[in-house]
Amino acid sequence: MTNGSVRTEMNFCPRGEEVIFYPTDRKRSRWPFKPHDVTIHDLRPLRGELSFDRNGFVLVNQTSACQDFYDADEVERVYMPEVIDLVTRLTGADKVIAFGVMTRTNNTEAEEGNLPAFGAHVDYGDRTVRMFSEDVLGAEEAARWLEGRYMLINVWRPIKVVESAPFAVCDASTVAEG
């Protein structure tokens, strides 16, 4: 392919199949899949044209003062405030909460919960967003914020040059409702 596009096979769950995923115990998981040929495009040249409302994601260049993304204390103290500031600037949100720091790797020595996913998936649904909001804010404050417009934003960043198990997102503008 040209222009940074590649053709590959990606696993998708067939319509109507139930998926049960235990990230820390993958042998217990039930993730039926059907491979599909897909074209993956490098959207970095189009980063200025992407929007949450149309595409479901944006790409940004954002440096970090965090020196060690494997140090949980430093990530909490340095990186999480940066993420909250970034999301606030990108969305204009009145309130941003951050949770669920995860460092992904395909290192064979890694814990199962840190491994890349099996295939195409949605990370969090509405129920999970509400649950985490209540955990972080408390039930009463969460209920107040969840009455208005809200969204979950996953913030992903490569810690080093990605040479395998690359990250991809689905452009919402390319998906038919059916």
Side-chain angles (χ1 to χ4, degrees):
M1 305 245 66
T2 59
N3 299 329
S5 297
V6 295
R7 192 95 179 128
T8 190
E9 191 174 85
M10 186 174 287
N11 293 327
F12 288 82
C13 182
R15 183 183 300 274
E17 289 282 350
E18 182 181 5
V19 173
I20 300 170
F21 183 57
Y22 302 98
T24 59
D25 189 2
R26 291 175 177 224
K27 290 181 180 131
R28 287 182 46 214
S29 298
R30 181 179 187 284
W31 189 319
F33 63 85
K34 180 178 178 184
H36 291 273
D37 288 327
V38 296
T39 301
I40 298 175
H41 304 280
D42 179 359
L43 292 178
R44 286 175 287 197
L46 303 174
R47 84 181 65 225
E49 300 171 32
L50 302 170
S51 75
F52 287 121
D53 289 335
R54 181 182 55 255
N55 308 99
F57 65 94
V58 296
L59 300 175
V60 296
N61 284 328
Q62 181 71 36
T63 58
S64 176
C66 186
Q67 298 295 306
D68 184 358
F69 286 96
Y70 299 99
D71 178 339
D73 178 61
E74 183 176 356
V75 168
E76 186 68 32
R77 186 175 35 79
V78 177
Y79 186 61
M80 295 309 280
E82 292 175 345
V83 168
I84 290 170
D85 180 63
L86 172 66
V87 172
T88 302
R89 285 186 287 116
L90 290 173
T91 64
D94 293 327
K95 178 79 168 170
V96 175
I97 61 174
F99 62 87
V101 174
M102 178 60 59
T103 305
R104 297 275 183 228
T105 180
N106 63 345
N107 180 328
T108 56
E109 305 298 314
E111 299 283 326
E112 283 193 34
N114 297 94
L115 296 172
F118 293 141
H121 66 282
V122 174
D123 273 354
Y124 300 104
D126 188 61
R127 181 175 53 146
T128 307
V129 171
R130 289 177 174 281
M131 180 185 71
F132 276 118
S133 297
E134 289 179 9
D135 288 349
V136 173
L137 300 172
E140 191 173 307
E141 185 179 355
R144 185 169 59 83
W145 284 105
L146 293 169
E147 285 177 2
R149 182 177 186 214
Y150 60 93
M151 63 193 298
L152 174 96
I153 298 175
N154 277 350
V155 176
W156 293 86
R157 135 185 321 272
I159 295 172
K160 59 183 181 177
V161 175
V162 177
E163 296 179 5
S164 63
F167 177 73
V169 294
C170 184
D171 182 348
S173 72
T174 68
V175 179
E177 188 174 319

